[in-house]
Amino acid sequence: MKALALSLVLALSVLAHSQALAAQASESPFMKPLPAGQAFPDLTFPSPISDKEAQDLGAGSGGKPVRLADVKAQAVIFVVYSMYCPFCQREAPELNKLHALIKSRGLSDNLKLVGMGAGNSPFEVNVFREKFSTPFTLLSDQDFNAYKALGQVGTPYFYVLKRQGNGFVIADGQLGCMTSAEAFLDGVVEKTGLPKGK
C-alpha cells in the first residue's frame, strides 16, 4: 500500500512537471490564480518608478510609489515573472516585441504592458531590465506581498485586465510563454473590447 501511494505521488509529480514544461512555465505548488471576472487587487508598489516609466503609465511624475489603479489605460497586460525563471528570461525578447506591437498598432494610450518581479528587489529588477533592454515598466515585489495577493502563480503568468470604474477587472489569465506576440495581442484586444488599432 505504501509503495502504491509513493508511485502515485511520483506519477503526479511527473505529470505536473510535464504540464509545466508544456506550458513553458515555472510552476508553483501553491498556485491559485484569480479567476476571470474578479476585480483585480488594488495594488500599490512601494519602490519608486522612474520618470520614463511614470510617463509610460500616465501616472504623473516618477520618484514615487505607483498604484496600479492610477495607470491611465483601458486595459493592462500584467505579467508576473521572476528574474531567476528561465522561461521568463526566454520570454523577455517576445515581451519587448509585444510592447513594440502595442505601439505600432496605435494602442499605447489604451493598453499598457507592466511586469512585476515576484520576490525580486529593485536592484534585481534593474539587472533584468538592463540585461534584456526592457522598454516597458517593471515593478519590484521584494516581499512577495503582491505575489501572494495574485494567487502565488507560476511564472511567467499573464493577467489581462480591463478598466472597470476606478480599478481593473480580470479579463483573462494565462500561465506560460506566449506562442506569438501577434496572436497574444489579438486575443487581448478581443477580450478587453479595445479597438483593433492599425
Side-chain angles (χ1 to χ4, degrees):
M1 188 66 182
K2 193 173 180 180
L4 178 62
L6 180 59
S7 298
L8 183 60
V9 169
L10 287 173
L12 289 173
S13 175
V14 169
L15 179 61
H17 188 62
S18 299
Q19 288 174 335
L21 288 176
Q24 295 289 293
S26 296
E27 63 180 305
S28 163
F30 308 107
M31 175 165 156
K32 289 185 180 177
L34 307 182
Q38 180 174 318
F40 199 68
D42 185 11
L43 302 172
T44 297
F45 296 89
S47 297
I49 58 174
S50 67
D51 287 334
K52 181 184 175 187
E53 290 172 322
Q55 185 177 5
D56 178 53
L57 298 179
S61 57
K64 57 186 180 183
V66 61
R67 179 172 170 247
L68 191 64
D70 293 336
V71 172
K72 299 282 189 298
Q74 291 304 306
V76 172
I77 301 169
F78 192 89
V79 188
V80 182
Y81 77 96
S82 166
M83 70 168 293
Y84 300 108
C85 160
F87 301 105
C88 302
Q89 296 175 13
R90 196 180 308 162
E91 185 75 330
E94 200 67 13
L95 284 172
N96 290 351
K97 184 177 177 182
L98 176 62
H99 183 262
L101 274 173
I102 291 171
K103 190 173 180 180
S104 68
R105 290 191 187 181
L107 296 170
S108 296
D109 289 340
N110 291 320
L111 176 61
K112 304 297 183 185
L113 176 59
V114 178
M116 182 198 80
N120 297 153
S121 68
F123 174 80
E124 291 170 318
V125 166
N126 198 46
V127 169
F128 190 93
R129 181 186 290 115
E130 290 185 355
K131 180 176 181 181
F132 296 103
S133 302
T134 305
F136 55 91
T137 301
L138 294 179
L139 303 170
S140 165
D141 180 38
Q142 186 168 2
D143 297 327
F144 290 104
N145 291 332
Y147 178 71
K148 291 174 184 173
L150 298 179
Q152 301 185 86
V153 292
T155 54
Y157 194 93
F158 293 82
Y159 277 113
V160 177
L161 314 177
K162 61 181 179 181
R163 173 69 68 182
Q164 188 175 77
N166 293 326
F168 291 95
V169 65
I170 300 168
D172 194 24
Q174 173 186 310
L175 173 66
C177 298
M178 299 177 285
T179 52
S180 86
E182 291 88 350
F184 185 82
L185 182 55
D186 288 343
V188 169
V189 167
E190 181 181 344
K191 287 165 187 165
T192 58
L194 289 176
K196 291 184 178 179
K198 300 174 185 173

